[in-house]
Amino acid sequence: MPYELAPDASQEGENLFDFIPREQIEHSMNQLNELGKDLGIHFHNKNKKFNTRRAHLAGYYAKDQGLYDKFSKRVFEAYFVEGINVAKVDVLSKIAEEVGLDAAEMNRLVDSGSYTERLMADFTIADRNAVNVVPTFMVGEDTRFEGIVPYKDFKKIFENL
């Protein structure tokens, strides 16, 4: 389910170095790149944070059309790999079209507020469960783990449930 780490981020994007020490970000990016290496993912966006609300709202449209996995993967790549501002309508429209969605219909529904209630309901669930780290995985009532976990460790957690 969606979660906004920085709901107050401007539509233009902000420099992470203004909020988090450069060394901490670089350390995190090195860890991410090490984990992403086997998957062919290299994180190039090291210092920008963008407002993701519109992308989350558009994700509901993609989900309703059965294309959420393709859409969310492409938004992830745009944000983290390419460093593209996913708050921009034209960026999300292009991504929508790339994965086979009707961008005009998506934007009409997002702009009309059709998905806002669903997003707020998901945020309420996250808040109720004290989610403040992305990713957070919850399985049932008793199993919870947060942050980036190497795949082999992730798999082990599930095998031991």
Side-chain angles (χ1 to χ4, degrees):
M1 68 181 9
Y3 182 78
E4 285 181 298
L5 275 175
D8 57 337
S10 72
Q11 297 298 309
E12 293 77 36
E14 297 173 10
N15 190 332
L16 277 177
F17 297 149
D18 292 342
F19 304 93
I20 302 170
R22 180 182 298 264
E23 298 77 27
Q24 184 178 342
I25 292 170
E26 288 174 354
H27 175 75
S28 294
M29 286 297 138
N30 288 338
Q31 283 184 302
L32 285 171
N33 280 319
E34 188 60 35
L35 291 170
K37 192 183 326 179
D38 292 342
L39 302 170
I41 299 171
H42 184 78
F43 295 83
H44 292 286
N45 180 11
K46 296 185 178 182
N47 69 315
K48 287 297 232 176
K49 73 175 180 175
F50 301 115
N51 189 302
T52 57
R53 180 166 295 231
R54 186 173 194 89
H56 289 310
L57 292 167
Y60 290 113
Y61 174 76
K63 189 177 286 188
D64 289 349
Q65 304 306 310
L67 291 170
Y68 180 77
D69 289 343
K70 285 174 109 175
F71 180 78
S72 64
K73 181 178 182 186
R74 186 63 192 99
V75 169
F76 175 91
E77 289 170 349
Y79 189 115
F80 291 106
V81 177
E82 300 165 23
I84 296 173
N85 186 347
V86 297
K88 294 184 174 183
V89 174
D90 62 324
V91 168
L92 287 174
S93 295
K94 182 179 179 204
I95 291 170
E97 291 169 358
E98 285 175 13
V99 302
L101 293 169
D102 180 336
E105 177 74 358
M106 177 189 76
N107 288 317
R108 185 186 69 72
L109 289 168
V110 167
D111 291 338
S112 75
S114 292
Y115 301 113
T116 303
E117 191 173 313
R118 283 168 71 179
L119 186 66
M120 293 301 109
D122 283 346
F123 288 171
T124 298
I125 292 168
D127 189 49
R128 193 175 321 132
N129 287 284
V131 172
N132 57 16
V133 173
V134 174
T136 295
F137 297 93
M138 299 174 64
V139 183
E141 298 292 322
D142 301 323
T143 303
R144 173 192 188 107
F145 52 102
E146 300 174 334
I148 297 165
V149 178
Y151 178 74
K152 63 181 176 62
D153 297 339
F154 188 85
K155 186 177 176 186
K156 215 178 275 188
I157 290 167
F158 279 94
E159 289 173 345
N160 294 325
L161 287 178

